[in-house]
Amino acid sequence: MIFDIHGDIWTDVTTKRIDGVKDVIRTYHLDRFKKGNMAGGIFVIWADPPHDTRPRERFIESVRAMSSEIWQNQDIIKIIYNSNDFYKAVEENKLGILIGVEGLSSLGEDIEGLYSLYQIGIRHCSLTWNEENPLATGIDGDINRGLTKLGKEAIKIIEDLGIILDVSHANDKTFWDIYENTNKPFIASHSNCRSLCDVRRNLTDDQIRAIGEKDGLVGLNGFNKFVHKEREKQTVEYLASHVDHIVELIGIDHVAFGFDFFEYLEDNTTDSFVEGEYKGTIGLEDISKTDNLINVLRKRGYKEEDIEKISYKNFLNIMDKVL
């Protein structure tokens, strides 16, 4: 059973519903989810390029599309807020979905808007995607700019409400500013190890240790460019080495799956940050192939209890601590 802690599914729902298509998850994704034994995940609202230039408007469009999709597909979707909700969703043969937001650029400087996000069911957020915004700085921003004064105030609200804070996409200074200004566990929902693949989106060993110190979680990212710089090594086996490294640094209780698959995105979105044709990680091209990764972990000596922790139990634990 898999809980994928990062998926841009609401992006695909928004794009297709604007074009008049309904039942997007059932029609385009549910069979693949079932093949991959995916029981749920964090589905994020994201101002996908080219809509990142109009984040507030895109957020409203996404909430409208998401709300319609949820209401019209209650037989396959259950919104969850804790581990009990997840297990009920499994019993009812429904997807257990936690609603998240990737980047808060839609709020601008209106941090009290976080209360509204909470009221519509959002229980996860990152402060930024790759951009600079009034709260924080992503990997494409000024390396000397991190968390702003407004961002620090936002974190207080986020922790007070009980929303899971995510540091994936934050630049290094923002990461450490968040570390110094948080009291609750936080996660990096879709980031790998920089020591194994030296790209800015991956985490340094010190950052991974810091997440462990905060009792947080690192979600393994299936995007091939974050697995290894050489194409022939962008494989499910090498991705498993990122699991090994995280476990060596902070233990089995602090790693999860946050695959960040691309089948939910249009070409005009991925072209803005991916050079060349996207081919995926060999052996883990989409969620239906997760058994390949699980089998590699078994061959490397991970016990069934360990695999269950990585697959879903570790995140459920974070949910119950933070939410």
Side-chain angles (χ1 to χ4, degrees):
M1 190 159 58
I2 302 293
F3 192 92
D4 182 357
I5 70 171
H6 183 82
D8 296 297
I9 294 90
W10 297 135
T11 298
D12 192 45
V13 168
T14 302
T15 301
K16 285 183 168 60
R17 278 191 168 265
I18 287 175
D19 289 339
V21 179
K22 297 181 179 180
D23 298 333
V24 177
I25 293 174
R26 187 194 311 272
T27 304
Y28 293 92
H29 304 299
L30 189 59
D31 285 347
R32 189 170 56 249
F33 291 165
K34 289 180 177 179
K35 288 178 182 177
N37 201 21
M38 177 175 155
I42 301 179
F43 291 8
V44 295
I45 300 168
W46 172 44
D48 49 310
H51 304 288
D52 52 336
T53 59
R54 48 187 289 274
R56 185 179 292 269
E57 292 82 359
R58 188 59 168 178
F59 179 84
I60 293 170
E61 291 169 356
S62 297
V63 170
R64 289 183 63 193
M66 174 189 75
S67 301
S68 300
E69 184 80 6
I70 292 169
W71 184 258
Q72 294 168 10
N73 290 275
Q74 294 180 64
D75 60 319
I76 62 168
I77 291 173
K78 183 179 182 66
I79 303 304
I80 64 172
Y81 303 99
N82 51 54
S83 60
N84 285 336
D85 288 345
F86 172 75
Y87 286 117
K88 287 177 183 176
V90 172
E91 289 175 6
E92 296 170 8
N93 197 29
K94 297 178 181 179
L95 289 167
I97 297 172
L98 188 142
I99 303 172
V101 181
E102 186 170 26
L104 294 176
S105 55
S106 60
L107 292 183
E109 296 183 355
D110 179 23
I111 59 171
E112 290 211 344
L114 285 162
Y115 295 105
S116 298
L117 301 190
Y118 185 86
Q119 291 298 331
I120 63 174
I122 288 166
R123 296 295 186 271
H124 155 278
C125 73
S126 57
L127 299 182
T128 179
W129 182 55
N130 290 339
E131 83 288 345
E132 288 185 13
N133 65 35
L135 306 181
T137 312
I139 60 166
D140 288 342
D142 182 349
I143 61 172
N144 297 309
R145 182 184 188 269
L147 195 63
T148 67
K149 180 181 178 182
L150 203 60
K152 294 175 183 178
E153 294 174 10
I155 285 177
K156 291 179 182 178
I157 296 173
I158 288 166
E159 290 199 328
D160 182 50
L161 286 170
I163 294 174
I164 297 169
L165 182 61
D166 191 343
V167 297
S168 285
H169 286 281
N171 71 356
D172 287 351
K173 188 168 190 326
T174 294
F175 176 96
W176 290 112
D177 287 347
I178 289 174
Y179 171 78
E180 292 172 1
N181 286 276
T182 47
N183 296 307
K184 290 187 177 183
F186 60 81
I187 70 172
S189 65
H190 55 303
S191 297
N192 293 338
C193 308
R194 203 178 299 181
S195 62
L196 300 185
C197 182
D198 188 11
V199 295
R200 293 175 300 159
R201 270 283 286 106
N202 285 342
L203 300 166
T204 68
D205 286 359
D206 283 345
Q207 288 173 331
I208 293 170
R209 291 188 188 98
I211 291 171
E213 289 172 16
K214 289 284 188 176
D215 203 20
L217 200 61
V218 179
L220 192 73
N221 193 321
F223 177 41
N224 62 315
K225 298 295 180 67
F226 300 161
V227 176
H228 200 281
K229 287 192 171 183
E230 299 174 24
R231 176 57 186 166
E232 63 271 16
K233 294 182 180 179
Q234 294 170 354
T235 64
V236 66
E237 289 82 6
Y238 206 86
L239 183 61
S241 296
H242 287 265
V243 176
D244 293 341
H245 191 68
I246 296 167
V247 171
E248 287 171 7
L249 290 174
I250 58 176
I252 195 71
D253 294 331
H254 301 287
V255 60
F257 295 143
F259 290 123
D260 197 18
F261 290 122
F262 274 29
E263 58 258 34
Y264 316 117
L265 307 177
E266 300 292 312
D267 288 344
N268 65 342
T269 296
T270 57
D271 288 347
S272 69
F273 54 85
V274 177
E275 294 181 5
E277 182 183 359
Y278 173 69
K279 298 180 180 178
T281 291
I282 300 166
L284 191 71
E285 291 82 4
D286 61 50
I287 194 71
S288 70
K289 307 290 182 64
T290 52
D291 270 355
N292 293 336
L293 177 57
I294 298 298
N295 289 332
V296 171
L297 294 176
R298 287 192 180 110
K299 289 176 182 177
R300 294 192 182 188
Y302 287 86
K303 300 176 182 178
E304 291 306 309
E305 180 184 0
D306 298 330
I307 291 170
E308 287 181 352
K309 285 184 175 184
I310 297 170
S311 297
Y312 68 97
K313 286 185 176 179
N314 286 343
F315 181 73
L316 297 185
N317 188 36
I318 288 288
M319 283 181 67
D320 288 344
K321 286 179 180 177
V322 178
L323 306 188

